[in-house]
Amino acid sequence: MYPRSINHTVITALAEQAAVVLLGPRQVGKTTLALEIAAQTASVYLDLEREADRQILTEPDLYLDEQAAKLVILDEVQQMPGLFSSLRGQIDMRRRKGLRSGQFLLLGSASNLLLHQSAESLAGRVRYVEMPPLQLDEVGRDRLNELWLRGGFPDSFQAASDRASLTWREDFLRTYLERDIPALGPRIPATTLRRFWTMLGHAQGGLLNAAALAEGLGVSGQTIGRYLDLLVDLMLVRRLAPWHENVGKRLVKSPKVYVRDSGLLHALLGLESLESLLGHPVVGGSWEGFCLEALIAAAPIGTEPFFYRTSAGAELDLVLRLPKSEVWAFEIKRATAPKLSRGFHLATADIKADRRILVYAGAREVPLGDGLRAMPLNAALALIRQQA
């Protein structure tokens, strides 16, 4: 088991807030982390996908009253949306008794669904933390290519071989399509959603073209929006918003779309080995998405991610607006020689970037003048983690 950076974030949140919602896709390690935290304190764990555990909460207040001095961990809490009103009453009752923090750790794999369910009931009583897959600084920079190829899901990354890793990811995709997504309610044929997901993979890092996707699948643009909303909600696809502040230029307004885990992207495209990946047209988009997800995960809580592109061609792969209002601009290139286009310099001037960084595939950190630095991914991650 790798030490997870998010562990400290969750423990700190529990020390400061009554309830913490830990979000993340299935198999990312939420339960393992929660049980590790549970081993350090008096606690009780319930998996709400198990009928027996749901039965325990048929009368939630009767059970939870008896657990007032314990940390209550509820896994896949979106399975019981009616529970949130009881949790509000429990938190308020415990606060009156002087128990103001560390009461509930709620785990879920459907972000928008959970946020909607909990927003009104637990307003002012809850903190949200998203758990990413394994990160480069958790597994070691010497395993960068392996992490890029296999992705950050622990079982995929730790598989005995690339073949075994790909098999695990194919099973993961099949389970999501045939069991998990139908369990949420949408009646979408698994083959159709798989084709849509694969189409997104082929266009990794491109602007969303709903009309082209709709034509390819033979569905309406509205249906494409519904499919995309679902995969974004499950934290499997990222819809990266364009920079929206007025800079006096004509800005591209369509979002960019990424399959969030590089390993799942490669499974969708049937890429088993590093050699097959390096020879595939998606290699640039895959590397960009891999680095982009790592940078967003390393940024302080409250950071807003964007991309920037004007109709004239000025472009930034990633713009991070940190909680203290600093703006960091990133260009991501799968190249060993640090080189930037004129469009990058124009774009950073447009948004008045405080930091300008080129993340490239070289091994050294190189100053490029005027405050711009080229650096490998691990150095960029270390720099941004210092801002937390």
Side-chain angles (χ1 to χ4, degrees), residues 259-303:
V259 177
R260 291 183 60 168
D261 181 73
S262 59
L264 293 185
L265 168 66
H266 303 152
L268 287 165
L269 302 180
L271 303 174
E272 178 180 334
S273 66
L274 187 62
E275 290 73 21
S276 60
L277 170 59
L278 293 175
H280 195 279
V282 82
V283 62
S286 171
W287 175 252
E288 179 183 322
F290 172 70
C291 294
L292 180 142
E293 287 297 323
L295 292 164
I296 293 174
I301 291 177
T303 297

Side-chain angles (χ1 to χ4, degrees), residues 70 113 115 186 333 380 388:
K70 298 178 180 178
L113 182 62
L115 293 174
K333 290 188 178 296

Side-chain angles (χ1 to χ4, degrees), residues 270-340:
L271 303 174
E272 178 180 334
S273 66
L274 187 62
E275 290 73 21
S276 60
L277 170 59
L278 293 175
H280 195 279
V282 82
V283 62
S286 171
W287 175 252
E288 179 183 322
F290 172 70
C291 294
L292 180 142
E293 287 297 323
L295 292 164
I296 293 174
I301 291 177
T303 297
E304 298 177 90
F306 305 93
F307 77 96
Y308 178 88
R309 184 183 294 182
T310 69
S311 58
E315 182 176 3
L316 296 168
D317 292 328
L318 177 64
V319 179
L320 295 180
R321 181 158 55 200
L322 275 58
K324 54 187 177 183
S325 297
E326 278 193 10
V327 175
W328 288 31
F330 294 88
E331 182 74 4
I332 301 167
K333 290 188 178 296
R334 178 70 189 170
T336 54
K339 185 179 179 182
L340 286 166

Side-chain angles (χ1 to χ4, degrees), residues 25-253:
R26 291 183 182 274
Q27 302 296 320
V28 80
K30 300 188 302 296
T31 302
T32 301
L33 178 65
L35 293 177
E36 183 180 332
I37 293 172
Q40 304 169 25
T41 185
S43 62
V44 60
Y45 169 85
L46 296 177
D47 181 355
L48 300 188
E49 286 203 319
R50 297 181 66 244
E51 179 62 29
D53 286 2
R54 289 200 299 271
Q55 287 295 326
I56 291 173
L57 292 174
T58 302
E59 295 290 341
D61 287 324
L62 291 178
Y63 177 77
L64 294 174
D65 282 347
E66 297 179 355
Q67 315 301 329
K70 298 178 180 178
L71 171 66
V72 178
I73 301 171
L74 302 176
D75 206 342
E76 296 299 338
V77 69
Q78 73 270 2
Q79 299 289 340
M80 293 187 68
L83 191 59
F84 287 98
S85 58
S86 295
L87 295 180
R88 179 182 61 183
Q90 286 288 323
I91 290 170
D92 291 345
M93 179 268 291
R94 295 175 189 205
R95 281 179 169 175
R96 290 192 291 271
K97 294 181 179 180
L99 302 171
R100 305 196 62 82
S101 63
Q103 299 300 302
F104 295 96
L105 178 56
L106 314 175
L107 315 182
S109 55
S111 61
N112 289 340
L113 182 62
L114 260 177
L115 293 174
H116 176 73
Q117 290 172 351
S118 62
E120 293 185 7
S121 297
L122 299 182
R125 304 168 178 86
V126 65
R127 183 173 302 173
Y128 301 93
V129 178
E130 183 173 336
M131 184 172 187
L134 287 168
Q135 299 296 301
L136 181 61
D137 47 2
E138 295 169 348
V139 305
R141 63 182 182 179
D142 58 317
R143 303 188 72 181
L144 182 147
N145 283 337
E146 191 176 356
L147 183 64
W148 175 33
L149 174 66
R150 297 184 177 189
F153 286 90
D155 288 341
S156 173
F157 179 73
Q158 298 177 104
S161 66
D162 288 346
R163 176 70 253 177
S165 172
L166 181 61
T167 299
W168 184 91
R169 282 174 276 139
E170 288 172 342
D171 291 342
F172 177 91
L173 292 170
R174 191 175 302 112
T175 300
Y176 250 108
L177 292 167
E178 296 177 0
R179 185 182 74 90
D180 294 341
I181 290 175
L184 289 174
R187 295 290 184 265
I188 303 173
T191 53
T192 302
L193 194 57
R194 172 72 184 244
R195 283 179 58 207
F196 172 69
W197 207 348
T198 303
M199 291 167 72
L200 293 181
H202 280 289
Q204 177 81 341
L207 295 174
L208 175 63
N209 188 337
L213 292 169
E215 183 178 357
L217 282 179
V219 298
S220 68
Q222 187 177 14
T223 299
I224 290 297
R226 184 162 57 91
Y227 290 177
L228 183 59
D229 286 343
L230 177 61
L231 292 176
V232 170
D233 184 29
L234 292 168
M235 291 165 283
L236 299 168
V237 166
R238 180 176 297 278
R239 183 168 42 201
L240 187 64
W243 182 261
H244 53 74
E245 292 186 4
N246 183 15
V247 293
K249 305 286 178 69
R250 290 183 60 192
L251 301 179
V252 169
K253 296 182 179 180

